[in-house]
Amino acid sequence: MDISLLVKRAQKGNKEAFSDLIKNTRNDMFKVAMGILKNEEDALDAIQDTILDSYKNIEKLSSSKYFKTWIIKILINNSIKILRKTEKYVKNEELYINYKEEGFSEIELMDIIDKLPKELKDLVKAYYFEDSSIKEISSEFNIPEGTVKSRLSRSRTFLKNILKAN
């Protein structure tokens, strides 16, 4: 069936037409989500979020011939959201694993982070606790991305040394 016709029907509230649109794009959506997330469970979550978002907003699609492009863009955005959550967990885990292994509580870790020099402390808090990217921190603190990376590395070394010394 013609995609443009299905889109127009879906925009008028036809659930079956919307379902047919999803069936026509599901393989492409799965490939894109897997390409970004590298994990089937996360990819399926992103696809589910995308189906819901596109269903709620299909009437906003201005040109029916761009349906596939539109839904893939929504999928990419949803995949990136999931990826950021996963990266935050990984980023936090790389810091937390050491304090847990050394027998410290989160409160003690925060006290130790507060002992870092200000230039390091602010970057650590932004990166690990505010979920800021290297690029965002670079822009916010007006320092090169390489400097952010080296300061974060220096901070991790500093924290490891403090944790081992206590």
Side-chain angles (χ1 to χ4, degrees):
M1 182 168 267
D2 180 34
I3 297 292
S4 294
L5 182 60
L6 287 173
V7 170
K8 288 175 185 172
R9 285 182 181 169
Q11 287 176 320
K12 292 179 182 176
N14 186 315
K15 293 176 184 174
E16 190 174 313
F18 183 79
S19 179
D20 288 343
L21 287 168
I22 296 304
K23 287 175 188 171
N24 285 329
T25 58
R26 69 179 169 206
N27 290 335
D28 293 325
M29 287 195 299
F30 186 75
K31 288 176 189 174
V32 169
M34 282 297 291
I36 295 169
L37 296 166
K38 314 281 191 253
N39 174 313
E40 187 173 347
E41 187 177 316
D42 289 342
L44 293 173
D45 285 345
I47 291 168
Q48 182 178 2
D49 292 345
T50 299
I51 291 169
L52 289 171
D53 290 345
S54 61
Y55 182 76
K56 291 177 188 175
N57 295 299
I58 194 155
E59 72 280 350
K60 294 179 184 176
L61 177 61
S62 58
S63 178
S64 58
K65 67 181 178 180
Y66 295 118
F67 174 78
K68 185 175 176 182
T69 304
W70 175 75
I71 199 164
I72 294 295
K73 175 89 169 130
I74 294 170
L75 176 64
I76 290 169
N77 290 336
N78 285 331
S79 297
I80 290 170
K81 285 178 194 173
I82 290 171
L83 190 61
R84 284 186 179 147
K85 289 177 187 174
T86 305
E87 285 176 345
K88 180 179 180 186
Y89 174 75
V90 171
K91 286 191 313 190
N92 283 337
E93 191 61 26
E94 86 186 27
L95 179 63
Y96 283 175
I97 191 98
N98 292 316
Y99 89 83
K100 287 179 182 175
E101 288 172 358
E102 300 297 326
F104 289 90
S105 70
E106 285 188 44
I107 293 171
E108 290 170 318
L109 175 64
M110 292 308 293
D111 288 341
I112 292 169
I113 290 171
D114 283 337
K115 292 178 184 176
L116 287 169
K118 183 165 177 44
E119 69 177 21
L120 301 179
K121 175 175 50 177
D122 292 342
L123 297 181
V124 166
K125 287 183 177 180
Y127 186 72
Y128 288 104
F129 301 100
E130 296 170 12
D131 197 29
S132 298
S133 68
I134 300 288
K135 188 173 188 168
E136 291 168 337
I137 294 169
S138 171
S139 176
E140 180 181 338
F141 290 92
N142 199 26
I143 55 176
E145 288 181 32
T147 303
V148 173
K149 290 176 185 177
S150 66
R151 287 182 183 174
L152 286 170
S153 176
R154 198 171 37 187
S155 298
R156 284 188 293 271
T157 302
F158 185 84
L159 290 169
K160 285 176 190 176
N161 290 336
I162 291 175
L163 290 170
K164 286 180 182 175
N166 289 330

